[in-house]
Structure formats: structure tokens, C-alpha cells
Amino acid sequence: SQKAGKEIEDKLDEFLSIYPETSAAYYSSTTRDSFIMPYADLSDYEPETRPWFSLAVENPDAIQWIEPYEDDQTGELVISVSKAIRDNGKVVGVVGLDIQLGTLTDEITNREIGYNGFPILLDGKGTAISYPSETGNDLSQLSYVGKLYESENGIVTYKDEDGVAKRIIFTTLPDVNWKVGAVYEERELNSLANNLRNSTLLFALLTLFVIFAALFVTVSRTTRPIVKIKSVMDSVSSGDLTVRSEMTATDEISSLGKDFNHMLDQMNGI
């Protein structure tokens, strides 16, 4: 009905106001009633011919991510995501939304990842969703891109068209098999490694110095009473029986000092 259609459009419009990154939100029923915001005339629209609709109907439990394509209304490259709507277990329609590739690319490329690297995002078939100077292009034929799809995550090394050695550190987004990664030049990473190595070496030296200082203090405290006893013994050996050990601690060395004093007292009594 017209009232139901207006309610759907209001909900779609509300969604767009909450998530401005979304360029369009839409809904199509299995009876071809279609609504889209921002508004466009969909009176002759055939949703069943569109991947966002047909894939959602075929797989109603899964969220569908559609490869980048040119939008009929704007002519811009967009990515679509859709999900089937069920009523009592039966699919009655599909709701979807579009994100312009340019918007998504801007969001990703504006991320600062340091060391002159840049982030990339590829869809499940190797199309560049975000990749400097390559956005929207199919990169699946490049050997280093193919290696990204051989594992869930890891590091791929390659040389670009200028012969510059680079590394891609990547992982896989679950469910959609998209690859997200960061590209760095080898020399930047080597510089980072050298900095880390130097920092680690400096930290190790400082740690050794602290340990040595603590050990020196500990050994000094331990040997100081022994030195005092030796001094007293040297005086006794020179004939001075009036000297005494003045250690008052309770450890074994201090006990030795007390025993030595007792021995001198007995000698003086003879």
C-alpha cells in the first residue's frame, strides 16, 4: 500500500541520516515493490536481475557483499551489501545499501600507518577497492596480488614497476574474503629494524649497567665485614690484642666477628 511504502521510505531515509557514508539505501520485495532513498523512480525496476537481490534470496542467512559496479543512478563505482528479509521463514524481500567507492577509498587512504606506508583493500576477486592509482581496477593478474589469496594472512614481497622492493603485510576479512593490508618499502622497514635493533642494544646495555651496579653494591656490602675482620686479624698478628671487631649485624660474618672477639678476650685472660 501507499502508506506502507511511505513508512519504508522514511526508514531508509532515517538510516541515511544516521550513516552519511552510505550513498543509497533501498528495499525490494519479491513482488517487485521497490523503494530507494534518495528517491528515484523504480516503477520499471526488476530487482531479480540484480546480484544484490538474487544472491540474498538464494542465501537468506548470509550478508551479501557485491563486487564494485557502476551505479545506474549516479554513474559512480559503488559497493553493495544486502540481506534477505524473511517472514515466518519465507523470504519476502531484500534490503540493501550502497557505499560509493570514492567514499570508502577516502576513509582508508586517510588512515596514517606510519613509515611512509599506505593501506590497501581488495575484494574477493582481486579488484582494488582502495589502492593508490589502481582503485576500481582488476589486479588479480599481478603475481604478488595472487599470492595474497593463497593464505589468510602473512607477508608478500615484490618489486613495483620502478624496481622498488616492497612488502605487503595483510590479513583477510572474514566471510567476504576481502584482503586488507599495508604496503611498505623494504628500505623503510629495514630502517625501522635498525632503529629497533639500536634501541634494543641500548636497552640491553642499560639493563646490564643496572644489574652490574646492583651486583657491585651487593658484593660491596657482603665483603665489607670480611675486610674489617681481616684488618683486625692483621692488628692481632702484629701483637695488638686490644683490637676488637665492631660488627653488630646478625648474619654469619658478624657471628664470626663476635667469635673472634671472644677468642681475643680469652687470650687476654691468659
Side-chain angles (χ1 to χ4, degrees):
S1 67
Q2 186 174 358
K3 181 179 179 181
K6 182 64 170 61
E7 290 179 354
I8 292 175
E9 289 179 345
D10 288 344
K11 288 294 183 182
L12 296 176
D13 195 40
E14 180 182 353
F15 181 88
L16 291 178
S17 66
I18 298 175
Y19 301 99
E21 299 84 2
T22 304
S23 60
Y26 39 87
Y27 170 80
S28 288
S29 70
T30 52
T31 57
R32 288 191 176 182
D33 293 321
S34 297
F35 308 90
I36 186 171
M37 295 300 290
Y39 177 80
D41 184 9
L42 299 179
S43 55
D44 297 325
Y45 189 68
E46 298 178 347
E48 67 274 9
T49 64
R50 306 302 174 118
W52 69 268
F53 185 90
S54 59
L55 289 175
V57 172
E58 292 171 6
N59 305 276
D61 293 325
I63 295 175
Q64 302 300 318
W65 290 87
I66 312 303
E67 298 173 31
Y69 65 96
E70 187 175 296
D71 181 64
D72 291 337
Q73 303 295 325
T74 65
E76 299 284 344
L77 283 176
V78 299
I79 299 171
S80 295
V81 57
S82 61
K83 179 70 171 64
I85 303 297
R86 290 194 287 191
D87 184 19
N88 293 324
K90 181 181 179 181
V91 175
V92 295
V94 177
V95 63
L97 58 88
D98 290 342
I99 302 174
Q100 286 191 0
L101 209 55
T103 301
L104 186 57
T105 299
D106 290 342
E107 284 287 327
I108 295 173
T109 55
N110 288 334
R111 301 289 181 181
E112 177 60 48
I113 61 175
Y115 299 96
N116 296 322
F118 59 87
I120 62 171
L121 180 63
L122 307 174
D123 74 5
K125 295 185 178 180
T127 299
I129 295 174
S130 177
Y131 200 121
S133 74
E134 296 288 356
T135 297
N137 295 335
D138 181 4
L139 306 181
S140 60
Q141 299 305 311
L142 298 176
S143 59
Y144 70 88
V145 172
K147 292 179 181 179
L148 299 177
Y149 294 87
E150 294 176 359
S151 59
E152 291 294 312
N153 53 70
I155 299 175
V156 171
T157 59
Y158 72 102
K159 289 186 178 181
D160 64 14
E161 60 274 11
D162 297 321
V164 177
K166 294 184 175 181
R167 286 189 183 187
I168 303 178
I169 304 170
F170 73 96
T171 189
T172 303
L173 297 180
D175 299 327
V176 296
N177 198 36
W178 288 10
K179 302 294 179 177
V180 59
V183 181
Y184 294 96
E185 291 187 9
E186 286 276 8
R187 59 188 177 188
E188 293 288 345
L189 293 180
N190 290 337
S191 175
L192 171 61
N194 290 333
N195 290 337
L196 290 175
R197 182 191 61 194
N198 294 337
S199 298
T200 302
L201 179 59
L202 178 60
F203 179 76
L205 290 175
L206 288 174
T207 301
L208 288 175
F209 176 78
V210 171
I211 292 174
F212 177 78
L215 181 62
F216 177 80
V217 171
T218 301
V219 171
S220 296
R221 288 179 177 176
T222 302
T223 58
R224 190 179 299 121
I226 297 177
V227 173
K228 288 183 178 180
I229 290 180
K230 182 179 182 299
S231 178
V232 173
M233 291 178 68
D234 289 340
S235 297
V236 172
S237 65
S238 299
D240 185 2
L241 299 179
T242 64
V243 295
R244 294 291 185 272
S245 172
E246 297 178 353
M247 291 178 291
T248 58
T250 58
D251 57 19
E252 290 81 356
I253 296 177
S254 295
S255 297
L256 178 62
K258 293 177 181 178
D259 292 339
F260 186 75
N261 289 340
H262 181 65
M263 181 189 70
L264 289 176
D265 290 338
Q266 289 181 329
M267 292 177 64
N268 283 325
I270 296 175

